[in-house]
């Protein structure tokens, strides 16, 4: 089949655990993270152009539409590497909040690789796309494979694991933008007081034990982000008071998420936070 127009969903990721083991000689941090996807997604539409060009549009006024956009970089990479002489018009319907700790840009890049692979019938395997993704950012390979995974190294060494027990996820982003590079830059890896227990998170997932999962969530970057932005800590407390069973900041923040099993509880938390925060979502884990 020859596609001239392809649609791809780019879901957001959350971290159920995020640990930094040490800083490496190459300047990157050696991490250990458990990541999964939630049903909050950007939508990408890609149309083939005969002209050899990449054009990006979006309804979101606050993201770059040039070579700084990760979807643009993904399109350029695939064009260069596979010597594609055609162009693409890419429309990005942005739903994931930006600079939020939800890997929105990385997921857009992954969706672009997948979509262009179909549009231009390149026959690139998932493993090859994950390798290409590494060149675009540490979270891109995970966004290509999706599901739930343990990520090691810079985040690019992935081991697929079972899906966590199904749950509602209430996400709330306070009105601040957090730079991932800034947070990692301020982290003193050698002085971390409390490392999250990633093994406990993995065991809880293996045993499909929701309570144990909620009790073992951990993110070492909270030490930095909560100090810089106390409102993130307040938001965590607020979620807990409203009845969230497990609460954690995702990535470098500032988005905080709460896990519950019952829809009615998710609704209560969602309604309780709406007055406090503009960006609030109640979604399911993506299975
Ligand atoms: P991560 O959790 O991987 O650090 P994030 O959710 O914190 O990601 P993004 O939403 O990916 O952050 O955006 C980070 C920066 O990347 C923003 O400053 C934005 O201008 C830029 N950017 C480039 N391309 C995109 C894109 N397609 N969508 C969103 N932001 C993009």
């Amino acid at each position: 089949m020859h596609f001239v127009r392809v649609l791809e969903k780019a879901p957001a990721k959350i971290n159920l655990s995020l640990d930094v083991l040490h800083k490496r000689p190459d300047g990157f941090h050696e991490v250990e993270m458990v990541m999964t996807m939630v049903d909050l997604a950007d939508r990408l539409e890609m149309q083939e152009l005969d002209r050899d060009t990449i054009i990006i549009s979006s309804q979101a006024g606050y993201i770059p539409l040039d070579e700084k956009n990760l979807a643009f970089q993904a399109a350029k990479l695939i064009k260069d590497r596979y010597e594609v002489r055609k162009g693409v018009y890419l429309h990005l319907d942005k739903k994931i909040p930006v600079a939020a700790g939800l890997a929105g840009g990385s997921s857009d890049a992954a969706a672009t690789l997948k979509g262009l692979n179909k549009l231009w019938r390149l026959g690139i395997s998932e493993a090859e796309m994950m390798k290409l993704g590494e060149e675009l950012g540490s979270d891109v390979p995970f966004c290509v494979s999706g599901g739930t995974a343990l990520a090691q190294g810079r985040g690019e060494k992935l081991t697929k694991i079972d899906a966590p027990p199904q749950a509602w996820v209430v996400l709330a982003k306070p009105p601040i933008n957090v730079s991932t590079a800034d947070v990692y830059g301020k982290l003193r890896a050698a002085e971390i007081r409390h490392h999250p227990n990633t093994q406990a998170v993995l065991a809880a997932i293996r045993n499909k034990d929701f309570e144990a999962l909620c009790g073992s969530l951990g993110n070492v970057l909270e030490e930095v982000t909560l100090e810089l932005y106390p409102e993130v800590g307040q938001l965590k407390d607020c979620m807990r008071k409203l009845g969230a069973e497990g609460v954690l900041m995702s990535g470098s923040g500032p988005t905080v998420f709460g896990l519950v099993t019952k829809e009615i509880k998710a609704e209560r938390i969602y309604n309780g936070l709406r007055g406090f925060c503009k960006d609030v979502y109640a979604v399911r884990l993506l299975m």
Side-chain angles (χ1 to χ4, degrees):
M1 197 164 6
H2 184 195
F3 302 98
V4 286
R5 181 167 161 265
V6 168
L7 297 172
E8 283 288 336
K9 262 174 99 168
K13 69 98 222 242
I14 55 169
N15 294 90
L16 300 173
S17 139
L18 193 165
D19 197 8
V20 173
L21 304 182
H22 55 87
K23 195 164 177 187
R24 312 190 321 190
D26 64 4
F28 285 104
H29 289 89
E30 186 74 20
V31 298
E32 198 168 64
M33 311 189 279
V34 179
M35 310 203 277
T36 195
M37 297 285 196
V38 297
D39 196 8
L40 166 68
D42 294 342
R43 284 179 178 72
L44 284 80
E45 183 183 333
M46 288 159 249
Q47 278 181 53
E48 187 173 282
L49 295 176
D50 288 331
R51 264 185 313 139
D52 189 356
T53 181
I54 301 167
I55 300 170
I56 302 211
S57 69
S58 176
Q59 95 294 4
Y62 38 80
I63 54 162
L65 296 176
D66 52 12
E67 64 287 344
K68 290 200 201 76
N69 194 303
L70 276 162
F72 185 104
Q73 290 170 21
K76 171 106 176 51
L77 180 65
I78 216 167
K79 264 172 69 55
D80 289 351
R81 206 57 58 83
Y82 293 86
E83 298 179 349
V84 179
R85 304 271 176 253
K86 294 197 161 141
V88 62
Y89 168 69
L90 196 155
H91 182 76
L92 193 46
D93 184 7
K94 206 71 205 157
K95 295 276 191 279
I96 306 173
V98 175
L102 299 172
S106 303
S107 196
D108 292 346
T112 303
L113 295 177
K114 291 197 255 183
L116 292 181
N117 187 30
K118 289 180 199 154
L119 190 71
W120 291 328
R121 290 175 293 167
L122 300 170
I124 311 171
S125 68
E126 183 176 282
E128 277 174 87
M129 275 192 278
M130 289 168 74
K131 266 259 148 286
L132 279 177
E134 261 180 57
E135 298 180 36
L136 298 162
S138 306
D139 281 349
V140 181
F142 168 68
C143 293
V144 169
S145 68
T148 305
L150 169 69
Q152 291 164 302
R154 284 168 49 190
E156 84 292 0
K157 282 189 208 146
L158 297 170
T159 310
K160 281 229 172 199
I161 59 171
D162 287 346
Q166 184 51 283
W168 283 90
V169 187
V170 183
L171 301 145
K173 179 191 169 272
I176 40 175
N177 287 347
V178 172
S179 147
T180 303
D182 201 26
V183 171
Y184 272 100
K186 290 199 166 71
L187 182 77
R188 303 212 176 283
E191 293 167 23
I192 293 168
R193 280 162 296 173
H194 301 292
H195 284 278
N197 188 346
T198 303
Q199 287 309 319
V201 173
L202 294 171
I205 292 174
R206 220 170 22 246
N207 300 330
K208 300 251 172 268
D209 186 338
F210 180 73
E211 227 183 284
L213 176 64
C214 290
S216 52
L217 300 173
N219 180 348
V220 86
L221 299 180
E222 285 187 345
E223 279 186 22
V224 179
T225 308
L226 269 63
E227 185 150 348
L228 289 174
Y229 307 103
E231 56 267 56
V232 178
Q234 288 159 11
L235 185 56
K236 285 189 71 185
D237 293 342
C238 197
M239 279 233 189
R240 263 194 223 98
K241 283 198 194 111
L242 287 165
E245 288 149 71
V247 178
L248 195 71
M249 182 182 84
S250 186
S252 52
T255 302
V256 167
F257 67 87
L259 300 180
V260 286
T261 47
K262 298 220 165 56
E263 183 172 4
I264 182 119
K265 274 192 164 187
E267 261 174 45
R268 192 189 311 144
I269 301 170
Y270 176 86
N271 289 328
L273 290 173
R274 289 276 294 192
F276 192 68
C277 242
K278 187 172 69 69
D279 284 323
V280 188
Y281 311 85
V283 295
R284 301 283 279 167
L285 288 172
L286 262 192
M287 289 289 135

